[in-house]
Amino acid sequence: MQEHSHKQEHSHKQEHSHKKEHSHKQEHSHKQELSHKQEHSYKQEHSHKQEHSHKPAAASSSQQIPASCHWDNLAQQQALGMMYMIVAACTVCLLLTAASLFLLYGLPSPARCLGNHTYSEHVVGRSHSHSHAGPWCSYGSLPATWVNTAHVGPKWFIFDPACRLQDLLTPLAPKPQASKPPDKHPPLKVSIVQDPIPASTFDHLPLSSKNGSGILFVSDSVDRYLMTYLCQHMGGTVSGTVLSSVLGRAYSLAGDSLESIKTANLTEDDTAGYLVNTCTSNSSVHLASTYIPGVHPNGPYHMNRTLSFKERIDHAAAVWSSYSTQPPQIVVVASCLWDLARMSFFEPHLLAQEEIPLHVLQAWTTNFTNVIKYAQSTFQKMPLFIYHPIMLPKYDPLTGFMEKTYLGRRVFVEQLNAAGAHVAYQMGVEILDYEQMGRRFMEGQAYLTDLIHPKREVGLELANIYLNYAELLKQER
């Protein structure tokens, strides 16, 4: 009985154990099945959401988009679409504008100024009122090199084949010259004339025709040398003219009396740099040059000169109006060495450092801008205005100091050259880079005939560039 009871108990325990195990398995199986169903349900829901997010917003009016569902995605897509449309519209506008400019003007060409107007396809806001048969060539600033084997005229070789310089010097020579004229300048014949200038003062000049050229230099003795070289090349002579009223005012400001000087013995030194130098020749090319004592509006000036740039420009205009029957085609405006000399003598602290201070350069550019503006307002017949950076005067290559010590350092000249080029560029004025040509002869500075002035060969090459500018202007008539 006990054994039977034990067996029943044992059987009952096994059955209970099997039931528990079976129940556990069923529960585990149910959990697995539920987990699979949940996972399947999540995948279906996630897939449905992804599919729904790629459909257009207006695909079905019956579908309601939950507040949290894909609004950012749609906004981004709309913003990108709008950006693409704007970029495409701008691109089309730019292409149409470029095509229109190309049809009207052709390829871009360098900027230049004709009076108050600028001929430039690539400078916005500036226009040129004259028709031009071909491309404008900025001869003075184009990349070029010196060809020593060439004869005078084409020695300065411009790489651009569309802007090669013509030899305009040879046709101006009255006859083949057996020897070159000396670099030294003969004494000037000086004339003091009444204001207004008598009609007979320049009656020995040939009348200018429409084929003639007129160049007026408003700068310093560097351009006077250049003008003299060209005048001598044409078989002409240079003389100095000054209005008695101008000279009287100059001497009065200096505290001297004009009556103390004998008119018959006047020299260039006696006129204290107030002369307007003119060329007399049988050529239709008319040349004149005059000084300005720097860009400072009031002075004092180097060598105790008087009369500001305004009075000197007025004087030059008065002399030119009687010298030539036509206004000048080209007016050259430049300043550098007189400014350095003025600072050296009257404001030496400005040149006491290794470089000219920035605020001084900025003041200089303001003053030089006023010089060009005044010249433009004086010569209103729309001549071509040209600025030139100066060739470096003689200096010590080891120290950088100038032989003429009052000019300071080499870098001072380079700074004013850069400042002047900046003003010219801003005002649309042509640049004829004397400094660039001078760099060809840096060994021993062989471009100089003395401490400052260019030698004849270099001066004539620069003159030929000016003549090429004048020839280019004739094509606009």
Side-chain angles (χ1 to χ4, degrees), residues 246-304:
V246 172
L247 192 59
R249 171 170 166 73
Y251 273 86
S252 175
L253 290 172
D256 296 325
S257 172
L258 181 60
E259 286 71 22
S260 64
I261 299 176
K262 294 181 180 180
T263 303
N265 297 326
L266 275 179
T267 66
E268 186 176 6
D269 290 336
D270 294 327
T271 56
Y274 302 107
L275 293 175
V276 177
N277 300 292
T278 56
C279 174
T280 303
S281 74
N282 292 323
S283 170
S284 61
V285 177
H286 290 179
L287 304 170
S289 69
T290 192
Y291 293 84
I292 57 173
V295 302
H296 197 280
N298 304 316
Y301 302 110
H302 177 46
M303 298 179 68
N304 294 318

Side-chain angles (χ1 to χ4, degrees), residues 20 34 146 175 205 207 251 257 356 376 425 432 463:
K20 287 174 67 177
L34 181 62
W146 185 276
K175 60 183 180 179
L205 285 173
L207 293 177
Y251 273 86
S257 172
I356 300 175
Q376 289 176 335
Y425 180 80
L432 203 170

Side-chain angles (χ1 to χ4, degrees), residues 360-374:
V360 177
L361 292 174
Q362 291 172 331
W364 186 93
T365 58
T366 299
N367 289 334
F368 186 53
T369 299
N370 292 333
V371 173
I372 294 179
K373 285 182 177 179
Y374 191 79

Side-chain angles (χ1 to χ4, degrees), residues 396-410:
D396 186 338
L398 295 178
T399 64
F401 284 102
M402 295 291 178
E403 295 273 344
K404 283 186 174 289
T405 56
Y406 59 82
L407 295 177
R409 301 171 180 264
R410 164 184 171 168

Side-chain angles (χ1 to χ4, degrees), residues 172 212-218 223 226-227 230 234 276-279 284-290 320 323-324 326-333 383-384 386 432 434 462-471 473:
L172 292 177
S213 302
I215 305 173
L216 171 63
F217 297 91
V218 181
D223 283 334
L226 188 155
M227 188 269 283
L230 180 55
M234 297 188 302
V276 177
N277 300 292
T278 56
C279 174
S284 61
V285 177
H286 290 179
L287 304 170
S289 69
T290 192
W320 183 277
Y323 165 69
S324 178
Q326 292 185 354
Q329 281 182 292
I330 296 173
V331 175
V332 181
V333 183
L384 175 70
I386 300 179
L432 203 170
Y434 288 18
L462 292 170
N464 188 57
I465 298 175
Y466 283 116
L467 293 173
N468 272 263
Y469 273 118
E471 189 67 23
L473 290 170

Side-chain angles (χ1 to χ4, degrees), residues 332-352:
V332 181
V333 183
S335 186
C336 179
L337 301 183
W338 280 80
D339 297 292
L340 290 175
R342 192 196 71 80
M343 286 187 277
S344 178
F345 285 106
F346 299 104
E347 297 178 287
H349 61 281
L350 299 180
L351 304 181

Side-chain angles (χ1 to χ4, degrees), residues 31-101:
K31 286 182 177 179
Q32 282 184 328
E33 183 179 354
L34 181 62
S35 175
H36 284 304
K37 285 182 179 180
Q38 289 177 334
E39 181 179 355
H40 179 67
S41 175
Y42 171 75
K43 287 181 177 178
Q44 282 185 328
E45 182 181 355
H46 184 66
S47 174
H48 175 69
K49 286 182 178 179
Q50 285 184 328
E51 181 181 355
H52 181 73
S53 68
H54 288 289
K55 290 182 180 178
S60 173
S61 60
S62 62
Q63 293 180 354
Q64 298 295 326
I65 301 176
S68 61
C69 183
H70 315 305
W71 174 252
D72 291 340
N73 246 352
L74 293 173
Q76 288 177 0
Q77 288 178 1
Q78 290 175 348
L80 285 173
M82 184 63 70
M83 286 177 60
Y84 291 147
M85 290 175 64
I86 293 173
V87 170
C90 291
T91 303
V92 171
C93 289
L94 287 173
L95 290 174
L96 290 175
T97 302
S100 300
L101 289 175

